[in-house]
Amino acid sequence: MSFVESEERQALREAVGDLGRKYGHEYVLKAARSGGHTTELWDEAGGLGYLGVNVPEEFGGGGGGIGDLAAVCEELAAAGASLLQMVVSPAICATIIARYGTGEQKQRWLPGFADGTVRMAFAITEPDAGSNSHRITTTARRDGDGWLLTGRKTYISCVDESQAVLVVSRTEDARTGKLKPVLFIVPTDAPGFTYRRIEMDIVSPDHQFQLFLDDVRLPLDALVGSEDAALMQLFAGLNPERIMAASFAVGMGRFAVDKAVEYAKTRQVWKEPIGAHQAVAHPLAQARIELDLAKLMTQKAAWLYDSGDDMAAGEAANMAKYAAGEAVVRAVDAAVQTHGGNGLASEYGLGALVAASRLTRIAPVSREMILNFVAQFTLGLPRSY
């Protein structure tokens, strides 16, 4: 692992940053406040190959790793033009299908992931099964030449913009009678599949939904990979999710700090610009340090994952997600404080980041569950939950 990214990765960051600045934060806020989406940005990023940098070349992708996709995610967020569904569709869903999907599933879905024409949501959380995935009750049962899927999911992102949802379900093990996890690709237009938007106090063009699956009939090949490997498949997608969430948060923090630095250089109340005062400068410097530290751990996690060391990648990905969530909250707070009252004025666009940054400490995995993970697996302490 090098502490300096390759020239190709640096060039990718620069190109993606140019695209993000072409649209900018105002574009995202306008879409959010009008009830629209960032479809134009998604389509252009997909057409340029940025959303498929981690898809194998044989399916039209860039053939890179999760580190490349994380760089794309971070640079768009740093330009104020973040794409939340990147954390889910190309990172979780495309990764799982590329690793474990059948040949037919790869041919059907991966070219669309590569050019951004396919979007897929990911559904694991349930009303009575938040962090405890062992309590999932969405169940699939064999019925003739297919499956019947029944259950509920909640806080599922971007369902209204997706052609399908990768649903974490359970099915009965014929040998033991116990339920085991399985993954299904469910088209959003399937009979019996409905969804309802959850109203959120977050200014975002990406919405959250409740899903209702009422005996949704699926063909046999809707099952991803093997019934017996679903747990491995699930974690193959969750580690990239944490890496992407960390990159998303780091990028958001960079955007906030950059806005604050620009303001602090030009805003003059007394004799010097306010950036000359340590009470303004130090919180911004601290935010930059914490963001860079979180970014470094994120890059380590991505390198471990792309190297095939899933266990070490899991530890690093959780640490990166924790560090980035904490760093972005403090970065946004410092940026708002630097602007004073202007920090919450719509003109400056920072107020919308307050709730968005706070969410990074909760989703896709809470800081408390990460601390549980590190206490148990890194420190070797007794399991507390």
Side-chain angles (χ1 to χ4, degrees):
M1 176 183 177
S2 172
F3 290 98
V4 178
E5 290 184 323
S6 66
E7 292 184 3
E8 292 81 2
R9 177 77 62 78
Q10 293 179 51
L12 175 65
R13 285 185 179 275
E14 183 176 353
V16 172
D18 288 342
L19 175 65
R21 286 183 289 273
K22 171 184 172 182
Y23 285 87
H25 196 47
E26 293 78 10
Y27 162 80
V28 174
L29 290 177
K30 182 179 179 180
R33 288 170 174 149
S34 66
H37 295 297
T38 51
T39 306
E40 299 88 355
L41 173 57
W42 180 278
D43 290 344
E44 186 166 354
L48 291 169
Y50 299 152
L51 303 180
V53 291
N54 63 318
V55 174
E57 289 182 335
E58 63 184 295
F59 299 104
I66 199 64
D68 297 305
L69 189 66
V72 173
C73 183
E74 181 190 334
E75 293 307 319
L76 287 175
S82 55
L83 291 173
L84 175 62
Q85 199 166 14
M86 281 195 68
V87 178
V88 176
S89 187
I92 303 176
C93 301
T95 296
I96 290 175
I97 292 173
R99 270 202 183 193
Y100 295 102
T102 64
E104 183 179 342
Q105 287 169 341
K106 293 177 183 179
Q107 289 289 347
R108 180 180 177 185
W109 296 106
L110 291 181
F113 283 121
D115 62 15
T117 56
V118 162
R119 297 205 206 186
M120 192 177 289
F122 178 72
I124 182 171
T125 304
E126 295 185 2
D128 297 317
S131 297
N132 187 358
S133 59
H134 296 288
R135 295 186 63 183
I136 286 176
T137 58
T138 298
T139 305
R141 66 181 189 277
R142 289 291 295 269
D143 184 72
D145 59 352
W147 300 92
L148 287 177
L149 187 62
T150 299
R152 293 174 60 194
K153 299 290 182 180
T154 192
Y155 290 110
I156 310 306
S157 304
C158 306
V159 179
D160 59 333
E161 300 180 81
S162 302
Q163 292 95 333
V165 181
L166 185 60
V167 176
V168 181
S169 174
R170 305 180 81 180
T171 190
E172 185 177 290
D173 189 320
R175 294 169 297 176
T176 65
K178 296 182 179 179
L179 293 176
K180 58 183 180 180
V182 286
L183 304 177
F184 288 97
I185 299 173
V186 182
T188 51
D189 61 357
F193 179 94
T194 56
Y195 53 91
R196 182 171 65 209
R197 181 177 165 182
I198 301 171
E199 294 299 328
M200 305 286 290
D201 286 336
I202 297 176
V203 182
S204 173
D206 305 302
H207 303 144
Q208 302 298 312
F209 296 88
Q210 290 181 314
L211 308 186
F212 305 91
L213 303 106
D214 185 13
D215 279 346
V216 177
R217 180 170 292 279
L218 300 170
L220 288 177
D221 62 4
L223 176 72
V224 177
S226 165
E227 286 186 60
D228 298 321
L231 199 57
M232 285 178 54
Q233 294 169 187
L234 180 58
F235 284 107
L238 293 183
N239 285 336
E241 178 189 43
R242 285 149 173 68
I243 292 168
M244 292 292 288
S247 295
F248 186 94
V250 167
M252 187 191 306
R254 285 174 52 196
F255 173 77
V257 169
D258 287 347
K259 293 272 285 186
V261 168
E262 181 183 354
Y263 188 84
K265 287 179 178 178
T266 58
R267 173 68 169 167
Q268 187 170 335
V269 179
W270 308 111
K271 183 179 179 181
E272 301 290 342
I274 62 173
H277 303 301
Q278 292 177 348
V280 174
H282 284 185
L284 296 178
Q286 181 181 0
R288 175 58 189 266
I289 291 169
E290 292 174 349
L291 287 167
D292 276 11
L293 290 172
K295 179 176 179 176
L296 189 61
M297 180 55 81
T298 304
Q299 291 173 311
K300 176 183 178 180
W303 184 85
L304 287 167
Y305 185 85
D306 289 334
S307 300
D309 191 344
D310 287 347
M311 289 299 295
E315 179 185 55
N318 274 291
M319 289 182 175
K321 162 61 179 60
Y322 178 93
E326 299 300 300
V328 69
V329 167
R330 286 192 283 269
V332 170
D333 185 71
V336 169
Q337 194 70 19
T338 298
H339 283 74
N342 286 333
L344 297 177
S346 297
E347 174 186 354
Y348 292 86
L350 288 172
L353 299 182
V354 174
S357 64
R358 186 61 180 80
L359 183 61
T360 64
R361 299 175 78 190
I362 300 170
V365 58
S366 72
R367 64 193 296 273
E368 289 76 19
M369 288 305 297
I370 292 176
L371 292 172
N372 283 337
F373 178 94
V374 172
Q376 180 182 353
F377 292 100
T378 304
L379 302 181
L381 294 172
R383 179 170 175 159
S384 61
Y385 60 97

